[in-house]
Amino acid sequence: MLSRIAESLFWIGRYVERADGTARLLDVHLQLLLEDPWVDEDTACRSLLEVIGSDAHYPHQLTRQELLTILSVDRGEPSSISASLNAARENARRVREIVSTELWECLNTTRSRMPRKVSIERAHDFFGWVRERTALAVGIVESSTSRDEAWTFFTLGRALERVDMTARLLATSELTEASGPSWTTILRSCGAYEAYLRTYRGVPSATNAAEFLLLDKIFPRSVTFALSRAETCLSDLQPTTARVGVTDNALRQVGQLRTNLEYRSAPEILANLTSEMIALQTGVSEISESIRSRYFPVNVMPTWVGEVS
Amino acid sequence: MADLFDHYPFAQPSGGATPAFDEMFSGAGKVRPSYKKIHETLASMTQDELRGRTEALADSYLAQGVTFDFAGEERPFPLDAVPRVIEKTEWNTLEAGVKQRVQVLEAFLADIYGAQNAIRDGVIPAALVASSAHFHRAAHGIDPANGVRIQVSGIDLVRDEAGAWRVLEDNVRVPSGVSYVISNRRVMAQTLPELFQQMRIQPVGEYPNRLLAALRAAAPSGVEDPVVVVLTPGVYNSAYFEHTLLARLMGLELVEGRDLFCSGGKVYMRTTAGARRVDVIYRRVDDEFLDPLAFRADSVLGPPGLLTAARLGNVTLANAVGNGVADDKLVYTYIPELTKYYLGQEPIIENVKTWRLEEGESLQEVLDRLDELVVKPVDGSGGKGLVVGPRASKKELDDLRKRLIKDPRGWIAQPVIQLSTIPTLVDQGLRPRHADLRPFAVNSGDDIWVLPGGLTRVALPEGELVVNSSQGGGSKDTWVIGVDRTSTKNKIQTNSQVSSLVAGQTSADSGFSRQQEQQQQIQETKPNA
Amino acid sequence: MSRYKIVHTTGFKYEADVAASYNEARLLPVRDDRQIVFSTKLDIEPHGSSHEYFDYFKTRTLMFEVLEPHRELTITATTNVELRNPMPETPTLDWPSMAALVVSSLELTDAVAQTKRTSPPADLVRFAKRIAKTNSPHETALAVCAKVFSDMTYRHGVTGVHSIATEAWNNKIGVCQDFAHITLGALRAVGIPARYVSGYLHPSKQPQIGETVTGESHAWVEWWAGKWFAYDPTNDVHVLERHVVIGRARDYDDLPPLRGVYAGPHQSELFVSVQITKEG
């Protein structure tokens, strides 16, 4: 497969997952933070922007409506849902001949139906729509793509982004009081609440909820699950019969990240959740870089310069 | 009610000259036999009904991305719901004419980049070839592996006032538009399904298979299973949709310049598994951007060294580099002579009368009659730079006059031809609009295959003679009808046994699923739908 | 009969590492009746793959690539060539027969078409036309050469490699390349097919055998009036014992010694040196 195409598929996966994750994250926190009468609106908005990774500077006082606009529909803001979906569509457009017509039409229609404004009252509906559209995109891929390299790169992108987004989501738990209700909301936003209840049979505690989202081996939105999936994808890309260790950098890094979580206890991680989550995000970006250098070698457009004697 | 043809002007007196030939009507209310069924269907339809179908068609194009950029906005490619019809007997002549044309152009290119006999024998002036902007001396020494330089051509045809077909221009560089033929056919089957059942329309879905076969046949000798790729300038090219569609239908990689690199006189593409050798490139990048070493040094659309690889016979470029000398509009004027010279035949389809401005008194004659002629730049295509005398302002004509005097080699002049008209849906209902036809031919070396029909482009403004989508042009599906072969394999079969096997969640649901399934079948029996 | 050894070293220095470069070199003398090429050797540093071919104008061309990072690209062409010098025959065609033959030959048509570089100054065209009225094509060509030689001053550094005929003529200063372009423009203006010749000239009129001297690339012209006739307008001399031909084309741009592209964005700087030794 062409490196350029693989790169686009990887990023379609990441952007689709990012749009979904951002929608879930916003949905939770617009409720959690902003409906709290004692919270300082501006500070809350800024911490959320920071967690989501926006670098932009907003000199004036931020309101929840502005925060919603910035992170949902502002195409100029790289962390917004709109920007992610647009980027996914642009990547798909560049590999139009590889992605299925159905996926293309799904991403294209999503972009063209993207609203320009969302009001606080309609926010929940909007996030629901984003979740549906991204689920549709993923569903199309899952149900109609051959399990070839195209699928593997797409899935790899999704898995890594999911690690990143879940890490961000967990990091936000520190933005508010680490009490029961907030964890319920966090679990709900991941669609994990019912699965959690079935597993733990009890009221969510911070420890149990974090453990579930970080370490559960069979819940697909947990970090460990997503890392395992990334590991499988990377192994599929480079079947090896080597007897000694792991030669692929990305694979080694994913494995380290996973075992570092898996072989520690939840309270230990939870004691320092924010920095642990930052470490996880850093890990993901290093893996992404290793994948780029291995499979998408410097493919920047060369600028040819003429020379004549 | 049935108001679509209300106030249809049956003979259009345009500028006092002979009216255009209308392809549906031979006179007031007199429908030509080939259009009888279409006319019946349309006549029984209301404007709203046809408009509704047209809108559905545009929505479908928007969703599929069959669009073109209009002032930075993506618009659905305009397809008119009324098809153009060509009877098989008439088509046979066009097909033969197009084949002959391609044969002559191939012979001409082989000669010009080879022995140059036509020049030595005085059939065509050396100065004409030497001064052609697309006679690429850098292409010298590149011998096509199977002798084919024009894998794909688009020979533009028009019908004059008498209904006679004529060649308007040849396109043998990177002709585009075939994706619209394929897409148009797909959506038309959904727009006017009642007609598809009645008329035997020659399918167009074979095109990608023919093209792929021709590309494979052009592989460097000794390569048994060639790696063929489609080279696109990239996502911002106006024909990008076509590049993706063709790559997909042929199952080929669609590469950009940066995906390729040359090393050791061979061409490779960068893949996740390392460099992979490329044998044939169906390139949709213009000559000037193909190889920064040979042409524009600042090009990022092609890899340096590509021409060397082609010269060494390690890669085939299709179409060949330097083909533009053959579709130069001054060379066009010599095609009848060249047909006799190379093939010993008379042209099957005639040219439009054309003035060569460098010859004798013709420049003066053209300057005197500028307001009644069409003047075109010799290396433009698709109406670029064209001036229609009767519709031009005085200032435009004055500017044009100066340019013709300064560069008579750069222009040709032709009489204004009232291109034939076909009923087309506009705001007032169905109205006659001028159209041309671009049939596509694929040359595999063994055979020149002409896609039945081609792209009919129609000028939407009233009286407009320039058909071009950037200037408010539309398109029509083109139906070659009256299939002269007996074939049953395309018959739709409704397999009731299969549908009864489909498990429904509830029994009340089965009617619906059956209906859905049959729609699927109708689609599936269309080629490549 | 004279034998020369020519060592032509040229290349580019870049301000920083360049990831890839692709070049074409036209540094190898043609083989024809007048020139016997004994041996040629091309060294490219850093080493890359290369392919030789004859271009449209029949010039021996070497395409080569360097696909490793490099700060300097050097190509050295070493040639041994023997010149045989039959006294050139005087072309004798008259104006109408010459014109008639041009129409049906692409080679000759290429040689009468002006290029951007040869587009001639008006006063020189008037001069050529006046001479042409009463003289044969060949005599006219010789007169034009004499005129260019007498009016122009040879000086380095005023015009660059991109200079065009009219500029150099207006300043009345130029190098061999300008002399050639000006002459070509005037000859073509009166309908005489004429081509640009690129090659080397031994700088000394009486070369010493075995002595290596610093030379340079040189350019002169050939015109056609029934047969090709070579002349050097820069020195107002016939092309005999000292001129080694690399190639012939429409103007300089058809056969620069080295031309290519490299992966930017850094600046490049050209260097050239030519050593000529008369060996026999």
Side-chain angles (χ1 to χ4, degrees), chain B residues 5-330:
Chain B
F5 287 102
D6 284 358
H7 311 293
Y8 190 88
F10 288 103
Q12 224 192 6
S14 187
T18 326
F21 179 89
D22 192 276
E23 299 197 9
M24 186 181 282
F25 297 101
S26 56
K30 280 190 281 186
V31 181
R32 295 184 199 273
S34 52
Y35 277 90
K36 212 166 143 273
K37 281 182 182 140
I38 290 176
H39 181 260
E40 274 169 18
T41 307
L42 292 172
S44 68
M45 224 181 261
T46 63
Q47 267 207 41
D48 287 347
E49 201 176 341
L50 189 61
R51 269 184 219 291
R53 294 189 190 200
T54 305
E55 276 160 28
L57 185 155
D59 285 348
S60 160
Y61 266 8
L62 211 51
Q64 288 175 52
V66 187
T67 56
F68 72 101
D69 282 337
F70 183 84
E73 201 183 311
E74 276 178 45
R75 297 260 183 101
F77 183 73
L79 167 60
D80 185 67
V82 183
R84 167 189 247 172
V85 175
I86 301 171
E87 289 271 11
K88 181 75 174 106
T89 45
E90 187 171 20
W91 174 252
N92 288 343
T93 312
L94 294 185
E95 189 182 25
V98 169
K99 280 187 187 183
Q100 182 196 49
R101 196 89 180 177
V102 175
Q103 281 174 346
V104 178
L105 294 167
E106 285 277 13
F108 175 70
L109 285 169
D111 188 19
I112 289 305
Y113 287 105
Q116 301 176 344
N117 289 327
I119 295 173
R120 200 159 304 125
D121 293 343
V123 185
I124 190 161
L128 188 59
V129 175
S131 60
S132 169
H134 300 283
F135 174 57
H136 287 312
R137 290 160 181 84
H140 173 81
I142 302 179
D143 296 318
N146 65 340
V148 177
R149 284 183 165 82
I150 311 173
Q151 274 79 8
V152 180
S153 50
I155 309 295
D156 288 353
L157 306 177
V158 297
R159 299 184 84 167
D160 64 14
E161 294 83 350
W165 290 91
R166 290 173 182 280
V167 178
L168 190 64
E169 65 182 56
D170 304 298
N171 294 280
V172 294
R173 282 176 268 170
V174 282
S176 68
V178 75
S179 58
Y180 297 127
V181 178
I182 298 168
S183 305
N184 283 356
R185 182 61 54 86
R186 286 187 190 175
V187 291
M188 280 302 285
Q190 292 151 25
T191 309
L192 292 172
E194 55 269 63
L195 283 169
F196 267 81
Q197 285 152 27
Q198 291 175 37
M199 300 171 77
R200 294 153 121 196
I201 306 160
Q202 293 234 334
V204 297
E206 213 185 326
Y207 184 85
N209 309 339
R210 292 285 187 161
L211 177 56
L212 182 59
L215 294 171
R216 291 177 64 92
S221 61
V223 181
E224 290 218 349
D225 186 15
V227 174
V228 185
V229 298
V230 180
L231 174 63
T232 174
V235 64
Y236 299 109
N237 185 271
S238 59
Y240 185 71
F241 164 73
E242 175 154 316
H243 308 158
T244 61
L245 184 82
L246 291 176
R248 209 146 33 87
L249 293 179
M250 293 191 286
L252 302 178
E253 293 283 8
L254 181 68
V255 302
E256 294 180 12
R258 59 186 154 145
D259 295 325
L260 299 177
F261 69 97
C262 300
S263 173
K266 301 180 180 77
V267 185
Y268 298 89
M269 56 180 161
R270 296 177 219 268
T271 77
T272 52
R276 183 161 183 225
R277 180 84 186 271
V278 172
D279 303 301
V280 180
I281 300 176
Y282 175 49
R283 51 91 174 206
R284 297 295 301 256
V285 168
D286 290 342
D287 286 356
E288 290 75 10
F289 291 91
L290 214 44
D291 180 349
L293 181 60
F295 300 110
R296 286 181 57 155
D298 62 345
S299 171
V300 293
L301 304 182
L306 193 57
L307 255 58
T308 305
R311 192 177 293 110
L312 290 167
N314 289 335
V315 72
T316 301
L317 300 174
N319 290 349
V321 179
N323 278 7
V325 65
D327 63 23
D328 182 295
K329 292 201 179 56
L330 264 175

Side-chain angles (χ1 to χ4, degrees), chain A:
Chain A
M1 162 169 290
L2 287 174
S3 298
R4 175 176 56 82
I5 307 260
E7 188 169 19
S8 280
L9 288 163
F10 177 77
W11 282 101
I12 295 170
R14 287 201 69 161
Y15 282 124
V16 166
E17 191 64 33
R18 184 175 299 175
D20 175 75
T22 309
R24 290 173 186 276
L25 214 150
L26 279 177
D27 203 5
V28 176
H29 285 279
L30 282 171
Q31 278 181 43
L32 260 186
L33 295 171
L34 304 172
E35 284 173 10
D36 182 344
W38 292 281
V39 84
D40 172 43
E41 196 176 5
D42 183 59
T43 313
C45 291
R46 283 179 197 281
S47 12
L48 193 60
L49 277 172
E50 200 179 309
V51 166
I52 289 195
S54 164
D55 298 331
H57 289 287
Y58 298 95
H60 55 286
Q61 289 272 312
L62 285 175
T63 65
R64 61 194 74 181
Q65 176 63 56
E66 270 175 294
L67 181 75
L68 174 66
T69 306
I70 291 167
L71 290 177
S72 307
V73 292
D74 184 351
R75 287 184 190 199
E77 165 57 54
S79 320
S80 76
I81 293 172
S82 170
S84 292
L85 290 173
N86 200 33
R89 186 258 186 192
E90 279 308 304
N91 272 290
R93 181 162 134 109
R94 262 173 243 150
V95 296
R96 183 64 193 83
E97 76 289 356
I98 298 288
V99 302
S100 69
T101 301
E102 262 185 277
L103 178 61
W104 162 248
E105 286 183 12
C106 166
L107 293 173
N108 195 31
T109 312
T110 306
R111 172 181 162 275
S112 60
R113 294 201 191 138
M114 188 76 202
R116 305 211 171 247
K117 277 199 286 254
V118 176
S119 66
I120 286 284
E121 301 75 53
R122 311 278 310 175
H124 186 69
D125 293 346
F126 170 73
F127 297 134
W129 176 77
V130 173
R131 287 204 307 268
E132 271 174 36
R133 296 306 298 183
T134 52
L136 181 60
V138 172
I140 289 168
V141 174
E142 288 298 319
S143 63
S144 66
T145 308
S146 307
R147 269 29 179 188
D148 56 7
E149 274 194 311
W151 181 85
T152 309
F153 277 108
F154 174 82
T155 307
L156 178 61
R158 273 187 62 218
L160 285 178
E161 187 67 30
R162 182 164 277 191
V163 172
D164 187 75
M165 286 314 295
T166 306
R168 288 178 200 275
L169 190 68
L170 286 169
T172 59
S173 71
E174 299 236 311
L175 298 182
T176 177
E177 262 176 65
S179 58
S182 73
W183 281 100
T184 308
T185 322
I186 288 177
L187 286 168
R188 275 221 168 95
S189 78
C190 295
Y193 185 59
E194 286 130 40
Y196 170 86
L197 287 181
R198 275 197 297 277
T199 313
Y200 289 84
R201 307 196 178 277
V203 182
S205 74
T207 315
N208 287 352
E211 187 177 75
F212 187 66
L213 287 179
L214 278 170
L215 302 173
D216 194 275
K217 284 200 171 110
I218 58 170
F219 180 65
R221 211 172 277 277
S222 89
V223 171
T224 307
F225 184 95
L227 283 171
S228 304
R229 178 161 258 211
E231 238 176 311
T232 313
C233 290
L234 284 167
S235 314
D236 288 350
L237 286 175
Q238 190 216 20
T240 173
T241 51
R243 286 170 57 173
V244 179
V246 171
T247 51
D248 182 42
N249 265 339
L251 190 55
R252 188 183 300 125
Q253 288 161 331
V254 174
Q256 281 171 358
L257 217 51
R258 180 179 56 76
T259 45
N260 186 37
L261 284 177
E262 239 178 329
Y263 294 95
R264 282 159 69 200
S265 69
E268 189 189 337
I269 300 169
L270 207 58
N272 224 337
L273 191 61
T274 309
S275 61
E276 293 284 351
M277 292 306 104
I278 288 171
L280 207 49
Q281 287 169 37
T282 314
V284 168
S285 94
E286 282 165 10
I287 295 164
S288 196
E289 179 57 27
S290 297
I291 292 170
R292 193 193 62 74
S293 66
R294 160 91 200 254
Y295 294 102
F296 329 130
V298 193
N299 216 352
V300 286
M301 195 84 85
T303 47
W304 296 107
V305 181
E307 52 190 5
V308 66
S309 62

Side-chain angles (χ1 to χ4, degrees), chain B residues 480-496:
Chain B
V480 174
I481 57 159
V483 186
D484 56 5
R485 59 183 168 141
T486 48
S487 159
T488 51
K489 72 171 184 224
N490 280 1
K491 263 192 193 156
I492 296 165
Q493 299 193 350
T494 315
N495 194 332
S496 54

